[in-house]
Amino acid sequence: MLQCITSITDLQRPAPGRASDTAMSAPLLNPPQRAAIHYIDGPLLVLAGAGSGKTRVITYKIAHLIRECGIPARNIAAITFTNKAAREMLERVGKLMSSTELRGITVSTFHSLGMHMLRQEATHLGYKPQFSILDAYDAGKIISDILGTTSKDELRKVQSQISLWKNDLKTADECLLSAQDQWESICAKTYLAYQDTLTAYQAMDFDDLIRLPVQLLRDNPDVLLKWQGKLRYMLLDEYQDTNTCQYQLVKLLCGVRGQFTAVGDDDQSIYAWRGANMENLRLLQQDFPALKVIKLEQNYRSTARILRAANSVIANNPKLFEKQLWSELGLGEPIHVVQCKDEEHEAEAVVQRLLAHKFEHRAAFKDYAILYRGNYQARIFEQALRNQRIPYQMAGGQSFFDKPEIKDVIAYLRLITNPDDDPAFIRAVTTPKRGVGATTLEKLGGWAGQYAKSLFAAAHDAGLRVQLQNAQLEPLEQFCNFINNLQYRATREDAGPLALEMLQAIGYEAWLYDSEDSPRIAETKWKNVLDMVAWLAKKGSEDGKNLIELTQTIALITMLEGRDEGEVDAVKMSTLHASKGLEYPHVFLVGCEEGILPHSESVENGMIEEERRLMYVGITRAQRSLALTYCVKRRRAGEWLFVEPSRFIAEIDAADLRHFGKPSAEPIVSKSEGKSRLANLSAMLAGKDKTLDQG
């Protein structure tokens, strides 16, 4: 059992040699937050409602564990789901403590932790430390080859099923035996062939970064003891989003001691479709009988009316743990419910209301968010925003690392990291063209398949050389020698200069200008490539990483998120799923109709509770004002259908709602009225500015 002092004053003192820029200026912790930070006698579940300060609890607890409990930072791991959340957590704890005190701490995603473990223990699983990590695109190409189809819909479904099986720790053989129908049998056979291919390539996919560490810890008692000793205390963020595999990893690492704090909210579990398992909350109580539960119910984000609406909606779901969010931020405005004629009218009404509200309240565009159930809903709102020349920013835009020219460079880096990475081999050997044609690649692929080797290994076989003419063999040999040379130098030389030399050697800049339709496009792409080289140089220098280590880092970044976009003054547009964890002063939650929210498939599949949690997440994104919109009719498959407002609107207390657009309700501001109102507001503001100037 851990013993430590529990002085909040000590916790909030500035770190040695640093001014405290957060702790001293922030309000004191509330009693449940303080209790969660100080409880270290066993396993702890913190039920943290939306906006209740859960990140603050985690960061303060890290400081408490290090300063008052004497646990070295190197023995503490704080685990979350995105690189962005991990960075924010590290930045916030860095304001409480000095870098010396935090040296060696693990603040990372589940997948980064898994990759870190696998790098050190790969040989126990028959892998080499320089294994490849395949992104969804490359994994999809392998599955496409196995199935012999390019149908995106079919590939997506099979890939998703394999991912769900992996997240449930089911092997391909188990799935084959338990297949209920032809569809599951096809998926299981594909899974078996896919996994064999990954093993042959010395590659892992995203799901393997958790699945394989679980397998490793289960099968190797010595390795398990080593990692249990290294990670003496774990803090788990967004616990409700964990899947079966992630829970087993936590359970193995924590062992019977159960020295962990899990922070989550059962009301915000919205990822069942990708394997998140609500049952993990129940399992915690079962697997750790001494589990203590602390609830954080005070919300620091939203007005009382918004919270009342959220509470009344979620109250219709069965509860594992009862909780009620409350706030001291005042009653706030009623929630506006806007009935629109159709989707075009809905987009126009939202934009006009947004503009009118912005002028009245002197707000910025970045204070507004338009949230929707599915990406397909965004197009018509984008058009309406463009029509009014309103800047907007889409969540989940193309990542820097997903640009074709960057993926070309990454293919070379992946091949240097792991020569058995066949997708990287094919992309690199053909970009730019190096004299290795389709016929040569077909013969190479046939030989590699026959002898169960990677393309790179097969290229060195004497037997293959008999089948190729000198004109085919020579460019292939030159390419392999080039990669071998880079691989030797990658662990010995600085990453940035070596990457630039590689690009010059393959003539990538000239190839871009030759292959693009215009010099301007080529110039933009080459600039992106140079930015990539600069990033490699900077990260290599800052983190002390070589080209191979940086390549594995890139593989994770591309799968978890793209490059961070700076804060710009633009309306935020996002799906409800992507908005979780974020907050906005003013929110428009659109398409609140039966068939959209709740989604028709979810209703049919008995997933209405998850849809209700999605509505709850949407409502609790709003800080000061919330508008819910729905249409009377909507065009589907070229036909007009009359639709019903979402059942979730009816679950909100009528006293907290103000209706617009319905018969006997207040009218929606029409386009002409809106323009007139805006003109009057602009004139009024201009008049005020003129008066001030004269004064």
Side-chain angles (χ1 to χ4, degrees):
M1 188 181 293
L2 295 172
Q3 296 292 329
C4 48
I5 305 163
T6 55
S7 164
I8 191 65
T9 309
D10 285 345
L11 186 74
Q12 290 188 308
R13 68 177 183 242
R18 294 190 55 165
S20 173
D21 51 0
T22 297
M24 299 304 289
S25 60
L28 286 176
L29 298 156
N30 65 39
Q33 288 176 329
R34 195 176 299 115
I37 289 162
H38 292 157
Y39 185 78
I40 40 76
D41 292 336
L44 172 66
L45 172 61
V46 179
L47 284 172
S52 63
K54 68 181 178 65
T55 305
R56 194 155 184 257
V57 166
I58 293 172
T59 53
Y60 270 64
K61 187 150 194 172
I62 291 169
H64 181 67
L65 289 167
I66 295 170
R67 284 197 180 153
E68 318 306 338
C69 303
I71 301 179
R74 65 179 179 276
N75 296 132
I76 296 171
I79 310 300
T80 186
F81 278 84
T82 67
N83 286 328
K84 184 179 179 184
R87 273 198 306 276
E88 180 191 343
M89 197 175 288
L90 194 55
E91 285 168 9
R92 287 175 68 170
V93 79
K95 291 176 180 177
L96 293 173
M97 309 190 73
S98 69
S99 56
T100 304
E101 289 174 296
L102 290 171
R103 186 171 294 133
I105 193 169
T106 298
V107 180
S108 74
T109 62
F110 271 103
H111 295 89
S112 295
L113 175 64
M115 186 181 75
H116 180 61
M117 294 172 69
L118 289 169
R119 270 187 188 155
Q120 294 189 34
E121 315 293 349
T123 51
H124 290 283
L125 292 162
Y127 280 84
K128 56 189 180 185
Q130 290 90 359
F131 55 82
S132 296
I133 303 171
L134 297 191
D135 62 17
Y137 175 77
D138 287 327
K141 284 205 294 189
I142 294 171
I143 292 170
S144 174
D145 290 342
I146 293 166
L147 288 171
T149 181
T150 55
S151 165
K152 286 186 179 178
D153 188 51
E154 189 177 338
L155 289 173
R156 180 182 58 79
K157 287 178 179 175
V158 173
Q159 202 167 351
S160 175
Q161 183 59 66
I162 292 171
S163 176
L164 288 172
W165 278 334
K166 285 191 172 191
N167 289 333
D168 279 341
L169 288 171
K170 292 177 181 173
T171 66
D173 288 328
E174 288 170 344
C175 295
L176 264 175
L177 287 172
S178 63
Q180 298 291 310
D181 50 37
Q182 187 181 7
W183 161 250
E184 285 193 7
S185 180
I186 290 169
C187 288
K189 287 173 183 174
T190 306
Y191 179 10
L192 189 64
Y194 169 66
Q195 204 55 43
D196 287 344
T197 304
L198 288 187
T199 305
Y201 289 178
Q202 284 280 299
M204 300 177 191
D205 63 17
F206 201 39
D207 300 313
D208 289 333
L209 296 179
I210 312 293
R211 184 182 69 88
L212 290 175
V214 170
Q215 182 184 320
L216 173 79
L217 297 177
R218 280 180 172 177
D219 297 344
N220 297 272
D222 291 343
V223 175
L224 176 62
L225 281 173
K226 170 186 167 182
W227 283 94
Q228 284 180 342
K230 177 174 170 54
L231 303 178
R232 285 175 51 200
Y233 201 97
M234 296 187 73
L235 301 108
L236 312 162
D237 191 19
E238 302 286 8
Y239 178 76
Q240 78 282 346
D241 292 338
T242 55
N243 58 40
T244 300
C245 207
Q246 287 159 339
Y247 176 63
Q248 289 303 318
L249 181 63
V250 169
K251 191 178 165 187
L252 284 162
L253 287 171
C254 292
V256 291
R257 305 185 326 276
Q259 292 294 341
F260 67 82
T261 295
V263 182
D265 182 4
D266 49 334
D267 292 333
Q268 294 188 74
S269 180
I270 57 173
Y271 291 114
W273 52 276
R274 69 178 190 196
N277 189 353
M278 275 273 284
E279 189 64 20
N280 289 345
L281 282 162
R282 204 184 311 274
L283 283 173
L284 267 187
Q285 293 179 302
Q286 183 180 307
D287 293 339
F288 298 94
L291 182 76
K292 183 177 178 66
V293 179
I294 294 175
K295 300 176 187 177
L296 304 184
E297 296 171 294
Q298 183 174 0
N299 174 286
Y300 294 94
R301 174 188 298 158
S302 307
T303 62
R305 261 211 175 98
I306 290 168
L307 295 181
R308 278 206 312 233
N311 287 332
S312 62
V313 168
I314 206 65
N316 291 278
N317 271 3
K319 294 286 217 168
L320 186 58
F321 301 99
E322 285 292 338
K323 69 176 185 305
Q324 282 277 323
L325 292 182
W326 59 277
S327 166
E328 293 180 339
L329 299 178
L331 183 60
E333 299 176 25
I335 292 160
H336 291 190
V337 180
V338 184
Q339 176 180 291
C340 307
K341 290 180 287 189
D342 54 39
E343 54 255 60
E344 285 189 9
H345 182 222
E346 181 183 38
E348 181 183 285
V350 165
V351 170
Q352 290 299 326
R353 290 173 71 87
L354 187 155
L355 279 173
H357 191 278
K358 178 181 182 295
F359 273 94
E360 280 186 49
H361 294 83
R362 307 295 291 267
F365 283 121
K366 66 183 178 183
D367 293 334
Y368 297 86
I370 300 172
L371 307 182
Y372 35 83
R373 177 63 177 82
N375 276 310
Y376 69 93
Q377 294 170 261
R379 183 194 58 78
I380 197 161
F381 288 94
E382 285 188 81
Q383 185 60 54
L385 290 165
R386 282 199 298 267
N387 289 346
Q388 295 293 337
R389 297 181 180 175
I390 297 173
Y392 64 90
Q393 193 174 41
M394 301 285 290
Q398 188 187 38
S399 159
F400 175 77
F401 292 105
D402 278 339
K403 294 180 186 294
E405 63 274 20
I406 302 304
K407 294 200 84 161
D408 289 341
V409 178
I410 291 171
Y412 277 88
L413 302 185
R414 279 172 43 190
L415 192 58
I416 294 164
T417 300
N418 174 18
D420 295 326
D421 187 336
D422 279 4
F425 180 95
I426 292 168
R427 187 162 189 151
V429 79
T430 56
T431 313
K433 298 283 187 188
R434 306 181 66 86
V436 180
T439 305
T440 306
L441 285 175
E442 282 176 22
K443 289 183 178 178
L444 179 62
W447 187 270
Q450 186 179 345
Y451 293 98
K453 293 186 172 184
S454 69
L455 297 173
F456 192 86
H460 293 83
D461 278 7
L464 174 72
R465 293 159 187 257
V466 176
Q467 298 189 22
L468 296 176
Q469 299 173 6
N470 282 338
Q472 296 172 312
L473 188 60
E474 191 175 334
L476 185 61
E477 283 185 331
Q478 285 177 352
F479 176 73
C480 291
N481 290 336
F482 177 63
I483 296 299
N484 277 330
N485 177 257
L486 286 170
Q487 188 178 31
Y488 175 80
R489 296 171 62 189
T491 56
R492 293 165 174 80
E493 299 180 24
D494 291 342
L498 184 60
L500 185 59
E501 186 182 327
M502 177 192 79
L503 290 164
Q504 290 167 343
I506 65 176
Y508 191 77
E509 182 182 12
W511 176 80
L512 275 178
Y513 278 92
D514 288 342
S515 57
E516 291 299 335
D517 293 335
S518 76
R520 181 175 293 178
I521 295 172
E523 184 181 355
T524 301
K525 289 193 169 189
W526 179 241
K527 184 181 180 301
N528 287 336
V529 169
L530 292 179
D531 285 347
M532 169 75 173
V533 171
W535 183 88
L536 288 168
K538 184 171 181 285
K539 288 290 286 181
S541 173
E542 286 178 354
D543 299 349
K545 289 184 176 179
N546 61 41
L547 204 54
I548 287 172
E549 292 167 330
L550 287 171
T551 303
Q552 291 180 320
T553 300
I554 291 166
L556 271 183
I557 291 173
T558 59
M559 286 183 278
L560 288 166
E561 64 185 15
R563 172 187 276 188
D564 278 349
E565 294 174 350
E567 181 69 26
V568 295
D569 187 23
V571 174
K572 303 298 187 293
M573 294 185 65
S574 173
T575 63
L576 287 166
H577 284 99
S579 74
K580 191 162 82 70
L582 303 175
E583 58 187 36
Y584 313 94
H586 311 290
V587 168
F588 290 89
L589 180 44
V590 302
C592 295
E593 299 154 26
E594 291 293 307
I596 296 180
L597 183 65
H599 194 275
S600 52
E601 279 186 27
S602 297
V603 175
E604 289 166 16
N605 297 332
M607 299 287 287
I608 191 69
E609 290 170 17
E610 176 133 341
E611 292 293 298
R612 188 174 279 112
R613 291 193 291 271
L614 202 53
M615 181 74 172
Y616 174 85
V617 165
I619 292 170
T620 54
R621 296 315 92 199
Q623 294 171 303
R624 297 202 291 278
S625 77
L626 173 67
L628 310 175
T629 69
Y630 65 92
C631 298
V632 173
K633 61 179 181 176
R634 191 174 287 270
R635 193 185 292 275
R636 286 181 189 157
E639 293 183 2
W640 285 105
L641 294 178
F642 286 93
V643 291
E644 293 292 322
S646 171
R647 68 189 73 183
F648 302 143
I649 296 175
E651 292 174 354
I652 300 172
D653 189 331
D656 290 322
L657 302 178
R658 187 173 165 191
H659 289 271
F660 296 82
K662 286 171 69 174
S664 77
E666 297 180 52
I668 301 173
V669 178
S670 70
K671 194 167 186 179
S672 58
E673 288 170 333
K675 283 183 176 176
S676 172
R677 186 177 179 189
L678 290 179
N680 291 337
L681 281 166
S682 298
M684 180 183 74
L685 293 173
K688 280 187 178 179
D689 290 342
K690 189 174 181 182
T691 305
L692 287 170
D693 289 342
Q694 289 171 345

